[in-house]
């Protein structure tokens, strides 16, 4: 049994041994979350009771996985910027390509990302699911869920033998943001920073937490609706007329392109490199799900090292366009559990269909209706199953087996922490009743080691 599986099983055994105490703790956690700042699309985020406990060897595996893929993605971004022929592989419009090719003013190609994987806790093997760039979120979910569960019975019992450390996602990002800004060609000594998005769909409570962290570090920081900026005389300003020096961009590129005519000031500032945009539009190169198909193409493998080529083929699932003539329709329909279809550029698991979740006729209809519409066909990776409990559904739930997905938050090229979700279906998202787990690092205390 792996170290990670063993320690998570130990937590489950504590729950089995002390059901009364843990039922009380589980109900308290649900009550806390219902009144917390972890809100997604107006609804409190639901959490499962058992956390994801990450021992040192598993953490080392995550670090290695993140470091290797970031190095590969950096090469892909740079190749796109340098090679017009390579750019033809990507499904970007001329207007988006123009924005991607504008000057960023700093060398870091991928400032922030959440890289989602299906991680096998038995042997630490994994497959990538998707790459989220500038709009990567859920830091506040993890913070609130850890608060909700920190004083629970099982967690308290585990602390008798182990040191438990939560991940810190706010002050650490401020530090890395500042490091990136220092390398910006037009940096000023005391920059005014603005966090921006289309606010009707934003995780605004999370923005407030980041704003507090930036302000605590001494940076004047505001939150601004992306449509409301003013651009004049080479300066980007907020509606009150104050100049902006740096942007923490949370608006995903798909939303920007869908509203491109509504944000002229923001886009003009980007085109003229008037402000430090963290991140820049070039992150869309790896954010679009077409990257999974492109990574496995000879045109990409040719500029990777032999070790990187093996890594891609081992950890990036087989992916093709869901276009007529590019895949075997009969084989895909007959073996539905082996496949999943995804839109190239939506987020939050919208429009994702896993054959394992559907009967044969519905799956066939989903595949046929999605053909030639910007969808991808991808080999399905069965998620790892682990025990957990859902106190949102019952005050005395049974332990059940849940599918898992793991997000690796990478700040300025370094792994900062883990974000865990689980659900009962093949796709794990709020739209399929997926729920969040607390994620923590765990190690033996000195007393326990002896």
């Amino acid at each position: 049994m792996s170290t990670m599986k063993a320690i998570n099983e130990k937590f489950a055994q504590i729950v089995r041994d002390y059901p009364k105490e843990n039922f009380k703790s589980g109900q308290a956690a649900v009550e806390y979350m219902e009144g917390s700042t972890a809100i997604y699309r107006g609804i409190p985020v639901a959490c499962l009771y058992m956390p994801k406990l990450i021992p040192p060897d598993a953490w080392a595996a995550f670090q290695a996985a993140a470091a290797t893929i970031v190095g590969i993605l950096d090469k892909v971004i740079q190749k796109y910027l340098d090679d017009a022929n390579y750019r033809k592989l990507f499904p970007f419009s001329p207007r988006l390509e123009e924005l991607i090719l504008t000057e960023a003013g700093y060398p870091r190609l991928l400032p922030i990302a959440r890289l989602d994987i299906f991680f096998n806790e038995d042997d630490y093997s994994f497959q990538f699911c998707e790459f989220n760039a500038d709009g990567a979120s859920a830091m506040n979910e993890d913070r609130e869920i850890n608060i909700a569960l920190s004083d629970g019975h099982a967690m308290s019992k585990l602390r008798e033998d182990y040191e438990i450390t939560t991940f810190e996602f706010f002050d650490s990002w401020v530090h890395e943001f500042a490091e990136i800004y220092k390398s910006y060609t037009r940096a000023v000594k005391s920059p005014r920073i603005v966090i921006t998005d289309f606010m009707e769909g934003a995780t605004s409570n999370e923005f407030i937490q980041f704003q507090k962290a930036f302000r605590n570090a001494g940076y004047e920081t505001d939150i601004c609706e992306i449509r409301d900026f003013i651009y004049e005389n080479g300066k980007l300003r907020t509606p009150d007329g104050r100049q902006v020096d740096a942007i923490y961009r949370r608006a995903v590129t798909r939303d920007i392109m869908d509203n491109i005519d509504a944000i002229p000031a923001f886009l003009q500032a980007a085109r003229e490199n008037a402000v430090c945009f963290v991140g820049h539009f070039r992150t869309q190169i790896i954010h679009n799900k077409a990257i999974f198909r492109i990574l496995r193409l000879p045109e990409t493998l040719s500029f990777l090292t032999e070790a990187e080529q093996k890594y891609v083929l081992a950890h990036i699932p087989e992916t093709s366009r869901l276009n007529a003539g590019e895949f075997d329709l009969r084989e895909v329909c007959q073996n539905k559990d082996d496949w999943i279809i995804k839109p190239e550029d939506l987020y939050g698991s919208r429009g994702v269909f896993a054959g394992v979740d559907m009967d044969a006729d519905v799956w066939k209809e989903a595949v046929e209706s999605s053909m030639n519409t910007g969808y991808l066909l991808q080999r399905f990776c069965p998620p790892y199953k682990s025990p957990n409990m859902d106190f949102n559904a019952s005050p005395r739930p049974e332990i059940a087996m849940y599918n898992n997905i793991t997000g690796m938050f990478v700040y300025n090229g370094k792994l900062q922490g883990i974000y865990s979700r689980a659900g009962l279906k093949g796709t794990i998202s709020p739209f399929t009743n997926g729920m969040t787990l607390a994620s923590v690092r765990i190690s033996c205390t000195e007393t326990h080691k002896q």
Side-chain angles (χ1 to χ4, degrees):
M1 182 183 295
S2 74
T3 307
M4 187 172 183
K5 184 174 182 179
I7 193 65
N8 282 284
E9 177 56 34
K10 182 168 184 175
F11 189 98
Q13 191 58 50
I14 294 173
V15 174
R16 296 186 191 101
D17 292 343
Y18 301 91
K20 182 178 179 181
E21 292 87 347
N22 284 286
F23 286 156
K24 182 178 179 180
S25 294
Q27 293 161 23
V30 169
E31 291 174 4
Y32 176 87
M33 290 304 296
E34 288 176 345
S36 76
T37 63
I39 306 292
Y40 184 74
R41 296 187 180 275
I43 300 172
V45 172
C47 69
L48 292 171
Y49 184 60
M50 299 185 189
K52 192 59 63 180
L53 304 166
I54 302 167
D57 61 340
W59 177 246
F62 288 130
Q63 286 181 307
T68 303
I69 193 61
V70 168
I72 291 170
L73 297 179
D74 278 349
K75 287 186 176 182
V76 169
I77 294 172
Q78 192 61 57
K79 182 70 170 178
Y80 181 99
L81 299 177
D82 295 341
D83 189 335
N85 287 326
Y86 189 66
R87 292 200 284 271
K88 295 176 183 178
L89 299 174
F90 292 77
F92 301 148
S93 68
R95 295 181 85 178
L96 176 53
E97 182 176 302
E98 176 211 356
L99 291 169
I100 292 171
L101 295 177
T102 58
E103 176 59 45
Y106 58 86
R108 173 57 65 184
L109 297 173
L110 185 59
I112 186 170
R114 198 189 75 216
L115 312 173
D116 289 352
I117 61 174
F118 293 113
F119 186 77
N120 188 313
E121 296 174 24
D122 290 337
D123 59 12
Y124 295 177
S125 61
F126 60 92
Q127 290 272 295
F128 281 97
C129 174
E130 67 178 15
F131 307 135
N132 302 280
D134 313 300
S137 64
M139 300 83 159
N140 192 49
E141 283 182 31
D142 181 83
R143 184 187 71 87
E144 287 281 37
I145 289 169
N146 268 292
I147 293 172
L149 295 173
S150 61
D151 294 328
H153 178 269
M155 193 73 89
S156 297
K157 288 288 292 183
L158 209 62
R159 284 199 186 91
E160 294 175 3
D161 294 327
Y162 296 91
E163 293 179 355
I164 298 175
T165 307
T166 59
F167 293 108
E168 196 290 306
F169 292 121
F170 295 92
D171 295 337
S172 53
W173 173 236
V174 170
H175 173 78
E176 298 302 338
F177 187 104
E179 290 299 305
I180 293 168
Y181 182 77
K182 287 176 185 176
S183 67
Y184 179 56
T185 53
R186 302 174 65 178
V188 298
K189 185 175 181 181
S190 300
R192 179 171 178 243
I193 298 166
V194 173
I195 304 165
T196 191
D197 200 347
F198 296 94
M199 297 307 296
E200 68 272 15
T203 50
S204 54
N205 286 333
E206 186 163 274
F207 293 1
I208 292 169
Q209 292 299 320
F210 276 113
Q211 181 186 42
K212 289 178 181 177
F214 276 109
R215 287 180 172 179
N216 287 341
Y219 297 102
E220 184 181 357
T221 306
D222 292 302
I223 300 167
C224 183
E225 158 65 45
I226 193 171
R227 300 177 183 91
D228 292 345
F229 287 107
I230 301 164
Y231 190 70
E232 55 187 15
N233 300 321
K235 305 295 183 183
L236 186 68
R237 301 182 187 278
T238 47
D240 58 6
R242 291 189 294 168
Q243 182 176 327
V244 181
D245 299 302
I247 291 283
Y248 173 21
R249 178 169 75 95
R250 286 293 294 260
V252 298
T253 303
R254 172 60 185 263
D255 288 347
I256 285 174
M257 299 311 293
D258 285 347
N259 295 275
I260 194 166
D261 294 328
I263 53 172
F266 181 87
L267 293 177
Q268 192 61 27
R271 291 186 181 99
E272 297 183 13
N273 188 25
V275 174
C276 180
F277 285 85
V278 181
H280 185 267
F281 285 102
R282 61 194 182 190
T283 64
Q284 180 66 6
I285 297 165
I286 63 89
H287 182 90
N288 187 290
K289 293 181 181 65
I291 188 64
F292 280 76
R293 179 182 66 85
I294 294 167
L295 278 170
R296 294 176 65 99
L297 293 177
E299 291 92 332
T300 299
L301 296 174
S302 66
F303 61 79
L304 301 181
T305 67
E306 182 177 353
E308 289 170 336
Q309 292 172 16
K310 291 179 179 178
Y311 182 96
V312 165
L313 297 176
H315 302 296
I316 300 296
E318 177 186 344
T319 307
S320 69
R321 286 177 293 216
L322 194 70
N323 290 351
E326 295 194 30
F327 69 101
D328 187 333
L329 177 61
R330 182 178 178 183
E331 193 277 333
V332 168
C333 290
Q334 288 182 343
N335 299 282
K336 67 180 184 66
D337 290 0
D338 294 338
W339 300 98
I340 188 169
I341 60 175
K342 305 176 177 181
E344 286 182 340
D345 196 24
L346 290 179
Y347 55 91
S349 295
R350 291 180 296 165
V352 176
F353 302 102
V356 70
D357 291 334
M358 310 168 80
D359 65 37
D361 290 340
V362 176
W363 169 249
K364 184 173 185 292
E365 181 182 348
V367 171
E368 291 180 342
S369 64
S370 301
M371 286 176 59
N372 305 311
T373 61
Y375 262 73
L376 296 171
L377 173 70
Q378 192 169 84
R379 181 75 64 174
F380 180 70
C381 177
Y384 182 83
K385 294 182 180 291
S386 65
N388 222 305
M389 302 173 75
D390 180 10
F391 281 94
N392 303 277
S394 168
R396 300 177 68 84
E398 297 288 334
I399 294 179
M401 299 302 290
Y402 285 79
N403 296 323
N404 289 263
I405 187 168
T406 301
M408 302 185 294
F409 279 110
V410 176
Y411 290 177
N412 198 15
K414 300 181 284 291
L415 180 64
Q416 181 60 32
I418 298 299
Y419 168 62
S420 302
R421 289 165 289 162
L424 298 174
K425 294 189 176 182
T427 55
I428 304 167
S429 78
F431 301 104
T432 58
N433 296 317
M435 287 173 277
T436 308
L437 285 65
S439 301
V440 297
R441 292 182 65 181
I442 188 166
S443 58
C444 295
T445 64
E446 291 303 316
T447 302
H448 190 66
K449 289 177 182 178
Q450 295 172 3

